[in-house]
Amino acid sequence: MYKKLNNKRIAKLTGLTLAVALITPLAQAEVTGEVSVTNDYRFRGVSQTAGDFAVQGSIDYSADNGFFAGVWGSNVDDESYDSDVEVDLYVGYWGALGEDEEFEYDVTLTYYTYPGQDESSKYLEANVGFYFAGFHFAQWYTNDYANADVSLHYSELNYSYEIAENWSIDAHVGYSYGDGADLDWGEDYLDYSIGVSTELAGFGLSLAWLETNLSDDNIIKDGAWQNDGTVLFTASYGF
């Protein structure tokens, strides 16, 4: 759920080594937040709100030494979960390499939870990400997807190209594979999107087309777990 943590935004606030993170004074840290509204909460191509609107928000803590942590939340469809809310906790480390620190990376642990639900579906996922010249690659892995004792891998590649001041074209492709994908759909699959984003009066705005290559038998066009092609619009505000 890469929508949870904008690691590029966190990266601008972080710095050196994890060893110092635990003793960094609070005055040297940054606490930021973001609220957003989207017409559909899609996770790796699949709707978590049965095709309906979602209101989402995050609070992030980042230290000058590269350590960051935060919490992200969204409403979800109560037909798909025993909870109306998803709350995810994450912690990680960011760093930069190269003479001009042009090569960036982060390592993150994310814990997915659904308050009010029992232990089912709660699970921990790890990822490592790399950033260079507008490209972002991330590899995600869990050995206990949806608390079902099955592994799931997710590889994604993103690219953002600035076409004018505060305007960019954004492309994404992701691949879900492993026993977790078989558990959900009986097949591995791609999700991909292409869109445009901008910033206006302090608000981030994005419009994109999202699609998957799931087989026709697995396409759901309405209701829980909707996964057909769709237009996604998101408006966000950071503070």
Side-chain angles (χ1 to χ4, degrees):
M1 296 184 181
Y2 192 72
K3 79 286 169 186
K4 286 190 252 336
L5 175 60
N6 184 342
N7 281 316
K8 288 297 286 183
R9 176 165 57 85
I10 293 296
K12 302 302 182 183
L13 303 174
T14 54
L16 303 175
T17 63
L18 184 59
V20 188
L22 299 180
I23 59 173
T24 300
L26 185 60
Q28 295 180 12
E30 292 282 351
V31 177
T32 59
E34 185 175 83
V35 293
S36 64
V37 178
T38 182
N39 63 307
D40 190 2
Y41 166 20
R42 290 282 177 124
F43 176 52
R44 297 173 185 171
V46 180
S47 178
Q48 310 297 294
T49 49
D52 293 332
F53 277 81
V55 178
Q56 304 170 338
S58 64
I59 297 293
D60 303 317
Y61 165 88
S62 58
D64 289 340
N65 51 38
F67 172 81
F68 62 85
V71 58
W72 179 92
S74 175
N75 61 290
V76 293
D77 174 43
D78 59 4
E79 293 182 5
S80 306
Y81 300 93
D82 293 329
S83 174
D84 296 328
V85 180
E86 175 185 342
V87 176
D88 302 330
L89 310 173
Y90 45 86
V91 61
Y93 174 74
W94 170 89
L97 300 172
E99 184 175 343
D100 297 320
E101 297 188 338
E102 71 276 14
F103 181 86
E104 303 172 358
Y105 65 91
D106 62 72
V107 180
T108 309
L109 289 175
T110 302
Y111 185 52
Y112 304 108
T113 75
Y114 303 89
Q117 188 187 64
D118 60 21
E119 290 301 311
S120 62
S121 297
K122 300 178 182 180
Y123 67 100
L124 185 69
E125 187 174 46
N127 87 281
V128 57
F130 302 95
Y131 308 83
F132 180 76
F135 287 94
H136 164 235
F137 171 78
Q139 179 63 49
W140 302 74
Y141 172 75
T142 178
N143 65 350
D144 190 25
Y145 172 63
N147 198 28
D149 197 28
V150 294
S151 62
L152 178 67
H153 305 261
Y154 184 71
S155 304
E156 64 172 314
L157 179 64
N158 307 283
Y159 180 68
S160 182
Y161 179 75
E162 187 174 25
I163 55 176
E165 185 176 1
N166 290 332
W167 286 87
S168 66
I169 293 177
D170 310 307
H172 159 85
V173 60
Y175 183 51
S176 298
Y177 55 103
D179 294 338
D182 291 338
L183 177 69
D184 282 344
W185 307 107
E187 62 177 317
D188 303 337
Y189 72 97
L190 290 169
D191 68 276
Y192 47 93
S193 65
I194 183 73
V196 62
S197 60
T198 187
E199 184 176 332
L200 181 64
F203 288 87
L205 305 173
S206 68
L207 183 69
W209 172 260
L210 181 145
E211 183 68 273
T212 76
N213 74 336
L214 283 163
S215 60
D216 291 343
D217 291 341
N218 283 325
I219 294 297
I220 300 173
K221 295 185 177 182
D222 56 54
W225 313 120
Q226 186 174 335
N227 56 21
D228 58 340
T230 189
V231 173
L232 294 179
F233 174 75
T234 303
S236 62
Y237 182 76
F239 55 91

